[in-house]
């Protein structure tokens, strides 16, 4: 059952297919904080054909990153929603050094203006890097299926649904993301290496990074991620 204590910000860092979405959902449920996936937020904008969605769609289709400013405008509103008051888990954000710098500034400003409980909710983040062998990422992504209704993630090889092609919870037909195609995945991995991997140094040098081997069973990754959340000193 979700508890009511202040958890603070948590960031999941990792290549496409490293298991960020799966772990983010488990952490969100256990700690009772929202999962904020910028990929999901962007896909929602694309589906609703908002001005942001129309701009983002073409870029996402190539595997490149959406420009920082568009993502930051979207994230600012989301982080100020009431359900973030005990903390939140970021999945797929930050993805560039300027996004990480922006987040540090944002949290600092929130700490200055709020009471003690809100200050803790906006403490410096715990960053969990899910490390997975590059060769295995393709298999993980190729097997990935998700429920269009509840967002639950499956993998036909490692974590299949009880009934093939059907969500265990919603009964909906599982779908494959359009950007999980091989040519797009290659571009997404390139973008990860060039633009996101520098965040390992950014957070490592600030003493906030915990590396977890993402190549273990989901439960073991979860156990180590939970331990990081409980024990990392946020000061
Ligand atoms: P994801 O579901 O996290 O793999 O994201 C899917 C796509 O959305 C990425 O390939 C990017 O095009 C875009 N995207 C998601 N999060 C970000 C972000 N923080 N910065 C820039 N682009 C993003």
């Amino acid at each position: 059952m979700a508890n009511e204590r202040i958890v603070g910000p948590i960031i999941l860092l990792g290549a496409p297919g490293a298991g960020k979405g799966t772990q983010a959902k488990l952490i969100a449920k256990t700690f009772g904080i929202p999962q904020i996936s910028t990929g999901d937020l962007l896909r929602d904008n694309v589906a609703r054909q908002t001005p942001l969605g129309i701009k983002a769609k073409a870029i996402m289709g190539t595997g490149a990153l959406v420009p920082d400013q568009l993502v930051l405008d979207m994230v600012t509103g989301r982080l100020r929603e009431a359900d973030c008051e005990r903390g939140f888990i970021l999945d797929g954000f930050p993805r560039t050094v300027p996004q990480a710098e922006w987040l540090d500034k944002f949290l600092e400003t929130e700490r200055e203006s709020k009471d003690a409980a809100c200050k803790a909710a906006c403490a410096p983040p715990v960053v969990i890097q899910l490390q997975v062998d590059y060769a295995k990422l393709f298999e993980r992504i190729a097997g990935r299926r998700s429920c269009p209704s509840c967002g639950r993630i499956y993998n036909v090889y490692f974590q299949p649904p009880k009934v093939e092609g059907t969500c265990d919870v919603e009964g909906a037909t599982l779908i494959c993301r359009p950007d999980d195609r091989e040519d797009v995945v290659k571009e997404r991995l390139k973008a990860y290496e060039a633009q996101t991997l520098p965040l390992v140094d950014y957070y490592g040098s600030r003493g906030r990074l915990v590396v977890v081997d993402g190549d273990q069973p989901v439960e073991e990754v979860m156990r180590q991620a939970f331990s990081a959340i409980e024990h990392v000193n946020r000061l």
Side-chain angles (χ1 to χ4, degrees), residues 13-29:
L13 194 62
K20 299 188 297 296
T22 299
Q23 292 299 326
K25 283 185 178 55
L26 292 167
I27 293 168
K29 192 169 169 208

Side-chain angles (χ1 to χ4, degrees), residues 20 37-40 42-43 59-60 63-66 68 71 91-95 99 144 177 179 188:
K20 299 188 297 296
S37 154
T38 43
D40 285 349
L42 287 166
R43 278 185 287 276
I59 303 167
M60 291 167 77
L65 294 186
V66 172
D68 287 336
V71 175
D91 155 14
F93 179 89
R95 238 178 169 106
Q99 290 182 12
R144 182 154 73 180
R177 273 171 48 175
D179 61 350
R188 289 167 63 202

Side-chain angles (χ1 to χ4, degrees), residues 187-198:
E187 290 308 312
R188 289 167 63 202
L189 287 173
K190 272 192 209 159
Y192 176 75
E193 273 190 49
Q195 290 166 277
T196 309
L197 216 46

